[in-house]
Amino acid sequence: MATPELTWKTDRIFARPPTSADAQVVFENYASDPDVAKYMIWRPHRDVAETLEFLARCERVWMDGSAFPWSLWLRDTAEFVGLLEIRVRGHAVDLGYALSRRWWRHGLMSEALASVVQWALAQSDIYRVWATCDVENLASARVLERAGMEREGILRAWLVHPNISETPRDCFCYSIVKAGS
Ligand SMILES: CC(C)(COP(=O)(O)OP(=O)(O)OC[C@H]1O[C@@H](n2cnc3c(N)ncnc32)[C@H](O)[C@@H]1OP(=O)(O)O)[C@@H](O)C(=O)NCCC(=O)NCCS
């Protein structure tokens, strides 16, 4: 199985695995914010203990290879900006991501996704990179399009986004595949 780098850089971002030492900054700037969580599958964290649990899970999944989450930091100022995770399943990689609200609309996730998509499609055994987003999450749909992905269709009743409703919601499915596939 293709295993990504622990750390990588783009022009503005430094990415590394999150650790428990990041709990306070992740809690305050990301995990406790209902606007960040709105279209995610988790509820906003109520205290830093929940964020610590989440970060322990991040360390575990790196160890067992079931997912590869990175925390994203500005190279210039070392500020925390968000998280991006990929999962490798056979010949396919899927993505999940979110930024701290104050870093929305700066092109940062587009920059991060470009790097991850490029890495994935450069692996000999990866042919497909894909992601889903709630049909109302226009920012996420746009960021996937900017990463070169095409909308394949709608996965009906695909995911529960508990901050919106307990009923599974329709999601757009986006992908990019290796040229010639
Ligand atoms: C989705 C998210 C990561 C986008 O990241 P971002 O760095 O702000 O996006 P970018 O600045 O790269 O912008 C990409 C495009 O989306 C557009 N966009 C950004 N926010 C938008 C919004 N709220 N509504 C509509 N379009 C938006 C930008 O204008 C840009 O479009 P353009 O190419 O036409 O100029 C960010 O909004 C976020 O973290 N949201 C909360 C968590 C979330 O929903 N994660 C995804 C779950 S599937």
Side-chain angles (χ1 to χ4, degrees):
M1 185 184 84
T3 306
E5 299 293 329
L6 277 173
T7 65
W8 44 270
K9 286 178 186 166
T10 63
D11 284 350
R12 289 179 294 171
I13 297 166
F14 174 67
R16 63 156 172 81
T19 74
S20 56
D22 305 323
Q24 198 61 38
V25 74
V26 172
F27 174 71
E28 281 172 17
N29 298 286
Y30 176 101
S32 61
D33 185 341
D35 290 333
V36 172
K38 180 173 177 190
Y39 293 112
M40 307 302 280
I41 58 172
W42 43 271
R43 291 184 192 279
H45 296 184
R46 283 156 303 181
D47 52 46
V48 78
E50 279 189 64
T51 308
L52 273 166
E53 263 177 50
F54 162 73
L55 293 169
R57 175 252 173 214
C58 290
E59 295 187 49
R60 238 179 7 253
V61 295
W62 265 100
M63 304 281 281
D64 67 20
S66 58
F68 304 102
W70 291 279
S71 54
L72 307 177
W73 309 79
L74 287 185
R75 288 175 65 179
D76 268 5
T77 59
E79 278 167 275
F80 170 76
V81 293
L83 287 151
L84 164 61
E85 170 171 309
I86 69 170
R87 291 152 298 243
V88 182
R89 299 284 180 271
H91 67 270
V93 165
D94 75 286
L95 310 164
Y97 46 80
L99 291 177
S100 296
R101 191 156 27 101
R102 64 167 301 211
W103 294 110
W104 292 0
R105 288 188 176 267
H106 289 78
L108 286 169
M109 195 49 80
S110 296
E111 194 172 311
L113 288 192
S115 174
V116 166
V117 168
Q118 189 186 26
W119 170 83
L121 293 179
Q123 307 309 302
S124 59
D125 51 349
I126 303 290
Y127 287 81
R128 170 183 171 84
V129 183
W130 67 287
T132 66
C133 67
D134 192 282
V135 291
E136 287 177 8
N137 193 350
L138 300 182
S140 188
R142 190 71 199 115
V143 96
L144 292 170
E145 285 163 6
R146 274 182 64 154
M149 297 201 188
E150 283 178 36
R151 189 185 292 174
E152 293 181 331
I154 291 178
L155 296 167
R156 293 183 297 165
W158 180 247
L159 279 180
V160 175
H161 290 144
N163 303 298
I164 302 176
S165 137
E166 290 303 331
T167 309
R169 292 173 57 81
D170 294 353
C171 291
F172 291 130
C173 182
Y174 278 90
S175 73
I176 182 169
V177 298
K178 192 166 270 177
S181 296

